[in-house]
Amino acid sequence: MSEEMAGEVDLVDDGPEVVDELVFTTKAKDRPQESERIRLVIDGVAYYAVKHKKTPEILAQLSRAAARQAKLPDQIWAVMEFLDQVVEEESAVRLRARYDDPADDFGLEDLFDIMEKLAKKLSPAGQASKGPAPARRRRR
């Protein structure tokens, strides 16, 4: 827990007793501690994404919502969330401006392509691009 959060949490509580099964400790994860800056070029202009320690979780969360079979609002939410979480702020602002500009051909399909390719680049060993393992078939 961060120091900021520790200050917000009331460690002394006069409420009901907590059973041992409901006491949790966050385990350290084997994640890179440094962020990695990724450069991409769209129509001759450089943009930047960042791979930080929670990027794989973010990509996994967004992959379902970004599925092309998802409803349009869910697709748009996933792409905007991707811009907020993975693309550097200045680059995300420029990409949103292009997306919002009715005179610009840059659209949702372009953002999907970028998101898919970045997901492959940013995921450990391509895990984000793999679907669930196929279920075993039972013998009849």
Side-chain angles (χ1 to χ4, degrees):
M1 180 179 346
S2 72
E3 290 179 29
E4 296 166 358
M5 289 179 63
E8 296 174 13
V9 176
D10 184 10
L11 298 177
V12 178
D13 186 5
D14 294 331
E17 190 172 324
V18 177
V19 294
D20 290 342
E21 297 88 40
L22 296 178
V23 176
F24 303 95
T25 301
T26 304
K27 296 176 185 171
K29 312 292 189 291
D30 184 22
R31 298 178 176 161
Q33 296 302 308
E34 296 295 318
S35 297
E36 176 186 351
R37 193 172 192 218
I38 308 293
R39 183 174 183 225
L40 56 141
V41 176
I42 305 167
D43 298 328
V45 177
Y47 296 86
Y48 296 92
V50 178
K51 179 178 182 178
H52 49 78
K53 63 183 182 177
K54 290 196 176 182
T55 298
E57 287 100 331
I58 293 165
L59 293 171
Q61 175 189 12
L62 296 178
S63 65
R64 287 191 181 140
R68 309 242 177 176
Q69 296 83 17
K71 294 180 181 176
L72 184 60
D74 292 332
Q75 291 177 350
I76 293 170
W77 172 85
V79 170
M80 294 307 154
E81 199 62 21
F82 171 76
L83 290 174
D84 287 343
Q85 299 290 328
V86 179
V87 178
E88 283 188 354
E89 184 178 359
E90 190 269 331
S91 292
V93 167
R94 289 189 289 134
L95 287 172
R96 270 199 201 94
R98 287 197 64 192
Y99 175 76
D100 291 340
D101 183 353
D104 194 328
D105 289 331
F106 185 78
L108 192 59
E109 287 299 316
D110 301 299
L111 284 167
F112 274 133
D113 290 341
I114 292 164
M115 191 167 148
E116 288 172 8
K117 289 178 182 172
L118 272 175
K120 288 178 186 175
K121 171 77 175 156
L122 297 175
S123 67
Q127 290 175 1
S129 62
K130 295 179 183 177
R136 291 185 179 167
R137 294 183 185 204
R138 292 185 184 179
R139 289 187 179 200
R140 294 185 185 226

